[in-house]
Structures are given as C-alpha cells and as structure tokens.
Amino acid sequence: MASNGYPKVDYGVPADTGVKFPELEQKVLKQWDDDDTFRASVSNRDGNEEFVFYDGPPFANGLPHYGHLLTGYVKDLVPRFQTMRGRKVERRFGWDCHGLPAELEAEKQLGIKDKAEIEVMGLAKFNEYCKASVLKYTDEWRDYVTRQARWVDFDNDYKTLDVDFMESVMWAFKELHDKGLIYQGFRVLPYSWYEQTPLSNQETRLDDAYKMRQDPAVTVDMPLVAPGSPLDGANAIIWTTTPWTLPSNLATAVHPEVDYVQVLGEDGKRYVLAEARVAHYARELGEDPEVVSRHKGAELVGLSYTPPFDFFLGHPNAHVVLSADYVTTDSGTGIVHLAPAFGEEDMDVATANGIEVVQPLDPGGKFTSMVPPYEGLMVFDANPVIIKDLKAAGKLLRHETIEHSYPHSWRSGQPLIYMAVPSWFVAVTKFRDRMVELNKDITWVPEHIRDGQFGKWLEGARDWNISRNRYWGSPIPVWVSDDPQYPRTDVYGSLDQLEADFGVRPTDLHRPMIDDLVRPNPDDPTGKSMMRRVPEVLDCWFESGSMPYAQVHYPFENREWFEGHFPGDFIVEYNGQTRGWFYTLHVLATALFDRPAFKTVAAHGIVLGDDGLKMSKSKGNYPDVKEVFNRDGSDAMRWFLMSSPILRGGNLIVTEQGIREGVRQALLPLWNAWSFLQLYAPESGVWRTDSENILDQYILAKLATTRDVITEALEVNDIAGACDELRLFCDALTNWYVRRSRSRFWDEDRDAIDTLHTVLEVVTRLAAPLLPLVSEVIWRGLTGERSVHLADWPEASELPANPELVAAMDDVRTVCSTVLSLRKAQNLRVRLPLPEVTVAAPDAGASASVPRTDCRRGQRQEGRSDR
C-alpha cells in the first residue's frame, strides 16, 4: 500500500451522530449504480485467469423468499472474493421459464380446472399466458437482488424460453439419442393425475414431496382354484392400501421360501397367509386358529384363484399365483396383489410371466368404460365405492385406515399415483458407474455429501423420465410416421436440420408452432402417411441441467468459450438439489462430455421459520424481508445467514433477534472503530506498519494472522469460518486495542492514528465480501478511491507477522476477560481516574454512535469508571 495520506469521502454521516445502516446502504447502492462499479469489477480483470460461476436459474412467477436470499448472498460473496484475488468473474443471471410451475400459474389465472379445457382454448393462447406468467416478477426480482447488494448481470441474462437456448437443448437430446442413451418405454412412473403427466423419480424426492396422508387399507379374499389339492377353495388373502387397484388385479405373488399356512377361521372359512402374519389377524381368525396345512411359498406358485372383480377374468396367463423375491412378511399377509399398471415391481413380474398390462384409467386418473361400475370416478373417490362393493360380496375380511408418508406433486401438492404410461427416458443406468467415478473429482461443501447424500443417490440412480404430457416447454424433437405400416422415426438436433427437411426455419420452437411442421413420410411409397412430432415436451429439469452450454448457444456459437469455461468452478444451492439441479447437471455432463459439470459445489441447509417449520406465507412464520432491509439493512441479514451453521449443511431458524445480533457482532465493531478514528484523528492517517508501540505491533500482527485464516477459509468456501475469524478480530480491535490506546489518540499519537488507519484499510478489504456495503463506506472514507471491491485482496507481505506476540497478548486478554467476569459475578466496581469513550451502541438493531466528550483535545474527565 502507498504510504501517503488519502482524501476523505463524505457520506453525510457525522462521526459523532448515530448512523442508520439501511439509509447508508441505499447511498452506496446508488453510488454503485451511477458509477457502474460492478461492470468495472469485471472488466478490470480482463485478461486475467477466469473463475467460472454458474448461476442456477429461478422461476420468476413468484416473489423471492429467504431461501433465494441465502443462496444469493453466497452467489455474491464468492465471486467478490475471487475478483479481489485477481480473477475475472462474470455473473450472468438466468431465468427458468418452462414446466409445471408456469402452467399451473396460467391455469390459475385462466380459471382452468381440467387439462381438457386447455385443448378447447387452444395451445397458442394458453402458452402465451404461460410466457407472461414466468416473467411477471422479473422487475421485483431485480429490485430484491439489487437491494441485497448482490452484483449480477441482468442485462445479459439468459432465458430457457429463448430460441437459442432451446436449440442447444434440442442438440443435447439428439446427441444422447445418437449415443444410444434415449429410448421410449412403457413404464410405471410417479404420475400426477392433477397435472396429467408423469414425473421423474427424483422429483418425488424434492422439497416436501412426501407428506403424511390417511388412506383406507383392506384385506380381501381370493379363493384358490386347485382341484384335487387341500388348498382348493381356500381363501388366499391379500392386503392393500390402494383399494382402487383391485379392479385391475391380474395376479398375486408369494415369496418361494416363506412359510405359509392354511388356517380355519372362526367363521368356518379357510384362509391362506404367511405363518408370520397369522397373529396380526387374530381379531378375524381367532387367537389360535386351527392349522389345516403348511406350505412353502413355492408350493403355491402356479395355483389359480378367483379375482375380487371379474372385469378381466379370462385375461391371458392372468389370475395365478406367481413367485416374487420382493414379497416380505413385514406387513400385510405375505401374499401380494398385483395390478401391473400401477406398480413397477408388479409390472416386471407380470411381464416376465407373459401377462399383458391392462390400463383402465384415463389421463386424469378416472376409470374408463373398461370397468363400467366405476367409470368416470377418480381413483381416490372410487375407494369407498369399491370397498362397499367388496363388503356386499362377502370378500372383505378387514377394512382399516392407516396414516402413512405418501408422495405428492412437488408443484401442485396433490397426491400422486403410480401408473404405467409411455415416456421418453435417458438411460442413466448405462453410465451410472461413470457418474459415481466423476463425482470423486468434485469438491463438496460440506464434504460428507459427496459420498453420502449425493453419492448414494448416484449409486442407485435409475433411468430418467424426461417427457411430460404437457404444453409449455422445449419440444421433444422426434417426428414419427402416423401410419404404422410405414414406420419411420426422425430426431432433430438443430434449426438447420429442421429447415432442410421441412422447408421452413422455425422462429419459435414452442407448441403449437413446432407441431405444425409436418411432411410426407419418405419411406411411404404411397405418399399418404405423414411425419408428425410426438406430442410430449421435455422435463424442465433437462433444460436447467443444460444450462452450462445452452446459455451460450453451444455448439452453434461460442465453442471455444465453452471449452474454456466447462466445468464451472463453483455452484451453490440448497442441499435438496442433490436430487434436482446438481443431479441433472451431473447426468448430462457425464453423458455428453464425460466430465463433471462443476468443480466445487456448496450445498447449504434449509431456512426455517421462527417456529422451526418450513417457511410459509400462510403461516407468517418469518420476518418480512423488506422490513428487515429497512430496519437492519442487507449487511446485517448477510452476516446472520453467512455466519450460521446453514452453510455447513445444517438448517437455520430465521429470527429478528438473530438478524439484529449480526449488527452487534459485525457492523458495530467496524463502524465504532472507524467513528473513533474520525472523531479523535480528524487529520488523514497514513498507511504504515512500522510503529514500535507494542499494542500497534500486536494489532498489526493479529491482523496478519486474521488475513491468513480468512483467506484460507474463503479459498475452500468455509464462509462461516471466515465470519468467525473476522468477528474475533473485530473484538480484539475494539475491546482491546482501541480501549487500551485511547489516551494515545487523545494525545494525537501519530503511531496510533496511522496504525488504526492502516488496520481499518486492510480489515475492510478482508470484510468486503462479507459486509460489502459498510466496508465500502469505511474504505472510501479512508482512501477516497473508487471502491473497495475494485481493490486487491491483502497480501501476506503487506503486514508484519509475529505469531509469538499474538499468542502472548491473546493470553493477556484471556486473563483480563476472566478477571472482568469475576468482578461482574461478585458485583465489584473499581473507580479509576480515566475517561470513558463509548464504542458500542446501546441499540444494536438501529444505530451506532460515539458521543462527544470533553477529552477530545486531551482535557481529561476524572472520576469515571473504566468498564
């Protein structure tokens, strides 16, 4: 640093009056805007090594919440630090625009209650509403992000609805298809009857997808048909929590090694179930029912039975007992009812035994004419009707209600069902092992997530359902013949390819425009069949996972740029994204590039309301963000969140008291030290580190240690650790150095003045990423230069290191602190002829002040107690 004095910058805050941090922050934000300081921070590093930061795109069809606030602070803090370390860090904002969130908001605005109403309205009109919806709150988002002092490039943002972005997504789909990693299959998937689309398995693990729910559970008779066997006419009993699947029953299954018994019930009927489950049915069968015969499960395999309903009686190969290793005796009866269209394992076993799946539900989860008595009933509404019919037919052994954890749609909140539907998949299981390998190269914060939460998820990863039977999204770029006699499938990966085949270059890849691209089937000599696009759109998670390349329209543009910016150096989101964005980024990066998508990822915990529950607008269980900004300021909120355990993976309860504590811990010590210097050293200080005074040497050496610890912590993204170290230093600065040095300032000791000036100049650079606004005010006041955020990070060589002195003085401080504690405990007061200068504000939530005293020019006040 230069050794000459700097001119002061006046922010209109006298040293001897209270400062309102929120008002001061607004002045800084305006200064940054007028000066275009953010762009200067990027352009000033042109030609330097780049630090690549990927910003996960949020939806803008709702206002930001504390989760966005927390993540946004990290997204600002890390790039600020890396910029001061000399690296160029571009920060491009992005918007997630497609998918169910947008469609549900449009349905709400339009009063749509059923998906069929969208078809009647027309896709073009509906999608226009979706487009308007997703960008509704962009201005509010910009204001919010700006107020939290987050630097980000809004003017050069990317949107997943842009044609360039969508073309890159189309390219990715075709690349995967050409690698043999895309297929269409008929699989049982989590299905939203409300949104009328399948979801992916990872979507059922997002947020609060599993909720407690009460459902009916029934135990039902199924008479065995085994002429000549002692089991003939005995009732095999099954248990299910989905009575609505019983009309679709096509088989039952037993474990071949489990022991089963035929018992005589108190009603005179014979029942067959696992021996281990007999006691569970003592109420119906008796406390000690007579055992008629014993059988291994393998002996039951192949026996026929009469299903509870006759809708599919005579279905080929159906209504026999099958063998299945997944059958257990943990619950139920040890005999499992199979409705292959509604259970993944059921479908696998049925298919392996030549039983074709039947599907009696429409896309809205209602029964079709295949089961006439229940036609038109939604499955959950059909439950009580089906149970009533079973009871009337004498087939209901038990009816009970259970409470269990059940999957719900992460967007609509409605309960899901599992249902066989045709869908498009990425064959993740083909490269799953490689995903596990590449994960070893990623640095995770906290570290345990790599092999724990994320690593375990990768090890069990399944093929990814990427198609949605919806309207607003990137189209699946597949065209098929509409005549099965002349089969043909075309997959497209660019606008050029579409233009070559269809003779027109699309300017909009959304439905219905993309669906209008139709051409004759080249493989049909009659010329009658046509090539038409499949109706599905892509899962919006496929788009967000494509963000690294799609944001720059790779591979159609910026090939060289992308190769130099992939993988990214850093990403951050909450830890639930191990099933979301982190996962889809990793899947697509592995499949397309055989590389991880990111080098380092921070996965923070969840922000909770003041009642310990997830934040909810309806509950009102968290402080209003704007009120916090207006009362305490953004730096106070930043400190509260960044210094908390949430960045180490824990959860955090947001309270007003906690936020105000951030003012006391961080903002006030810095501001009080700065105010003290202004008050007692009105002349400019000089940057120097050569004082021979022991206190000056100590605080400079303490600062050198602090610089090293904070630097090391931020290099490994231990933000909470950096906050801890800054807090400890500020305590040493204000409660030790300044208090012990007051008389020197009254005497206008140049060593003391210059040392405090130097310490504040350095410490504000260290604090700049953690407290960007108050640091800016103090640093500019000290230096008169443009911005602390354009300055370089302090180098170790700038400060004299003396670890022995630091250790010794810290021991002295500990002794004094202990003595002070004893004095307070014993209510002892010592009166000393020393004046007192207040360096801590009484109201930490509002302002800091250093009151005037008569000792400014060395006139001492006698008889005041030294705290």
Side-chain angles (χ1 to χ4, degrees), residues 378-398:
M378 194 272 157
V379 291
F380 295 121
D381 297 330
N383 272 336
V385 183
I386 290 171
I387 293 170
K388 181 181 177 182
D389 290 348
L390 288 169
K391 185 175 182 181
K395 298 179 180 180
L396 186 65
L397 184 66
R398 178 187 286 187

Side-chain angles (χ1 to χ4, degrees), residues 721-793:
C723 290
D724 286 343
E725 189 64 20
L726 180 62
R727 176 182 56 79
L728 292 172
F729 177 79
C730 288
D731 179 66
L733 176 65
T734 57
N735 291 326
W736 185 257
Y737 175 75
V738 171
R739 290 192 179 192
R740 302 285 75 76
S741 304
R742 284 177 298 191
S743 61
R744 299 171 61 208
F745 284 93
W746 300 329
D747 294 337
E748 298 182 353
D749 183 324
R750 295 306 306 179
D751 282 347
I753 291 170
D754 292 345
T755 297
L756 183 55
H757 172 97
T758 302
V759 167
L760 285 172
E761 191 281 325
V762 175
V763 80
T764 47
R765 279 189 283 153
L766 293 175
L770 306 174
L771 299 167
L773 294 162
V774 71
S775 296
E776 182 75 298
V777 175
I778 296 173
W779 191 84
R780 292 197 74 210
L782 287 164
T783 69
E785 296 189 5
R786 186 174 178 183
S787 173
V788 68
H789 303 288
L790 303 180
D792 291 333
W793 189 256

Side-chain angles (χ1 to χ4, degrees), residues 539-550:
D539 175 10
C540 62
W541 290 100
F542 191 99
E543 294 179 308
S544 56
S546 299
M547 167 263 169
Y549 45 90

Side-chain angles (χ1 to χ4, degrees), residues 57-70:
F59 280 100
N61 67 340
L63 293 173
H65 52 66
Y66 273 89
H68 297 116
L69 187 74
L70 167 66

Side-chain angles (χ1 to χ4, degrees), residues 51-57 71 74-75 78-79 89-94 150 152 158 544-552 561-573 581-582 585 589 593 595-601:
F51 180 85
V52 181
F53 166 66
Y54 291 154
D55 195 352
T71 308
V74 182
K75 291 178 178 180
V78 172
V89 190
E90 293 182 342
R91 280 153 271 183
R92 189 180 183 192
F93 205 77
R150 179 182 169 195
V152 67
Y158 68 87
S544 56
S546 299
M547 167 263 169
Y549 45 90
Q551 66 167 329
V552 291
W561 181 94
F562 176 72
E563 288 300 325
H565 292 73
F566 186 82
D569 287 301
F570 180 74
I571 62 173
V572 56
E573 296 292 342
W581 192 46
F582 300 158
L585 281 170
F593 306 105
R595 281 182 270 174
F598 42 87
K599 298 176 183 176
T600 299
V601 53

